[in-house]
Amino acid sequence: MALIITEKRDSTGIITLDHADKRNALSEALIQEIIAALDGFRALDIRAVILRAQPGVKVWSAGHDVNELPDGGRDPLGWNDPLRILIRAIQEYPTPIIGLVEGSVWGGACEVAMACDILVATPESTFAITPAKLGVPYNLGGLMTLVNMIPLPIVKEMLFTAQPIPSEQAFNLGIINYMKPADEIETFVVDMATRIGKNSPLSISVMKDALRLLSSAHAVTPDLFERIQGMRRIVYDSADYREGIRAFREKRKPDFSGK
Ligand code: YXS
């Protein structure tokens, strides 16, 4: 069963998340389909990509598929985790990817949206970054994506409260480029993608990659990296992490002990 819909509209490729039964949870299968679609677009002279969910959805994506998170004892967001592979695929993709957001965006799906080059959302959209709800220690690369998009005090508020922020606040903070009503957003985004398609793809591709390299250029010494990884291991080996995953699966609120 296809979990996404792909479409070529002139020089624009459109990927529509289409697994509403699971609120477009970012399972390995859904992520593999997105990456395959991106690879397929490379051969079709696509000049811009739009990543969206079905028009009118209440949930753009519920984030990482919690059922695919480890029970403990292993980094839940390691380099080869499908979510991490998807984020890098978006960031390293040679043409601009525009996130068209309707509905609520949760957890790792916020990072997927914010990894897109341009974000356009409806006024009803919300963004919630929720690792603290599950006891997950977000990974360094993921925190870098967020810090590059969101002012630090807001990143801390979103991570520590795990509460959604409204589209208007995201727009005022510059996290989203435009807020457009549901009946205008598709035309607006397709027009922008078409305009991008008329510019030099080589120039755009090299500037996109240069901006990625510049924005991720931070001196992290091996010692600092290993210290952070050691701290993250304490978290994902903790009883709290196991409680967070178990509570989600049992559809109840977690009771974190701090251990
Ligand atoms: O019970 P069935 O089989 O119908 O499935 C239900 C949910 O279990 C499923 N579902 C998910 N399955 C796996 N992973 C998910 N993230 C996920 N979210 C939902 O979809 C079916 C319908 O869900 P339901 O009944 O709750 O829908 P709803 O419309 O009442 O509520 C929609 C949501 C999104 C508000 C609700 O499903 C929800 O709160 N989902 C979890 C959002 C979340 O906390 N995501 C973070 C995932 S962890 C992650 O992204 C990173 C690892 S991190 O934590 O670091 O950010």
Side-chain angles (χ1 to χ4, degrees):
M1 172 185 106
L3 303 175
I4 67 169
I5 297 167
T6 57
E7 177 192 349
K8 181 177 185 309
R9 210 180 289 184
D10 302 323
S11 65
T12 301
I14 303 174
I15 296 172
T16 302
L17 306 178
D18 191 32
H19 195 202
D21 290 352
K22 294 291 183 185
R23 303 302 182 266
N24 294 329
L26 297 171
S27 62
E28 183 167 10
L30 187 145
I31 287 170
Q32 283 173 349
E33 289 190 27
I34 296 172
I35 290 173
L38 289 173
D39 289 346
F41 284 158
R42 286 172 192 260
L44 300 174
D45 189 26
I46 290 291
R47 304 287 178 89
V49 175
I50 296 170
L51 178 63
R52 65 170 304 166
Q54 284 287 16
V57 284
K58 292 278 178 284
V59 180
W60 193 78
S61 171
H64 199 300
D65 186 326
V66 176
N67 298 312
E68 295 183 358
L69 287 172
D71 290 331
R74 176 165 66 82
D75 191 337
L77 294 173
W79 180 261
N80 293 318
D81 178 82
L83 175 68
R84 304 313 321 157
I85 293 171
L86 175 60
I87 299 286
R88 292 196 299 272
I90 292 171
Q91 292 172 329
E92 295 166 10
Y93 198 65
T95 59
I97 299 179
I98 306 171
L100 188 166
V101 173
E102 294 179 82
S104 55
V105 188
W106 301 85
C110 277
E111 193 192 346
V112 168
M114 293 174 188
C116 293
D117 300 291
I118 297 167
L119 258 187
V120 183
T122 58
E124 301 76 20
S125 299
T126 60
F127 301 86
I129 307 175
T130 54
K133 252 175 50 179
L134 284 171
V136 167
Y138 219 59
N139 67 303
L140 265 181
L143 293 175
M144 193 75 256
T145 304
L146 301 176
V147 166
N148 279 333
M149 284 292 284
I150 309 170
L152 190 57
I154 307 298
V155 173
K156 290 180 179 179
E157 176 190 344
M158 291 183 78
L159 284 169
F160 301 162
T161 67
Q163 289 304 303
I165 67 165
S167 187
E168 187 174 1
Q169 183 181 3
F171 174 68
N172 292 335
L173 289 165
I175 299 168
I176 60 175
N177 299 62
Y178 296 91
M179 211 162 44
K180 288 290 175 186
D183 61 353
E184 296 174 19
I185 193 167
E186 177 174 318
T187 303
F188 179 85
V189 172
V190 170
D191 287 351
M192 182 189 288
T194 305
R195 281 200 305 278
I196 290 172
K198 294 187 179 353
N199 292 329
S200 157
L202 293 176
S203 164
I204 289 171
S205 169
V206 74
M207 290 191 288
K208 173 173 174 176
D209 213 32
L211 288 168
R212 176 178 65 84
L213 294 169
L214 288 171
S215 60
S216 60
H218 289 257
V220 175
T221 63
D223 187 49
L224 171 59
F225 174 76
E226 286 167 4
R227 176 169 165 264
I228 291 170
Q229 285 299 90
M231 290 192 297
R232 291 186 63 247
R233 177 163 197 148
I234 292 167
V235 178
Y236 64 71
D237 274 355
S238 69
D240 268 2
Y241 173 84
R242 290 190 294 277
E243 163 61 8
I245 300 294
R246 200 170 33 241
F248 178 87
R249 290 176 181 158
E250 295 168 2
K251 297 186 187 290
R252 60 175 172 80
K253 288 207 178 302
D255 177 14
F256 291 125
S257 65
K259 294 184 184 66

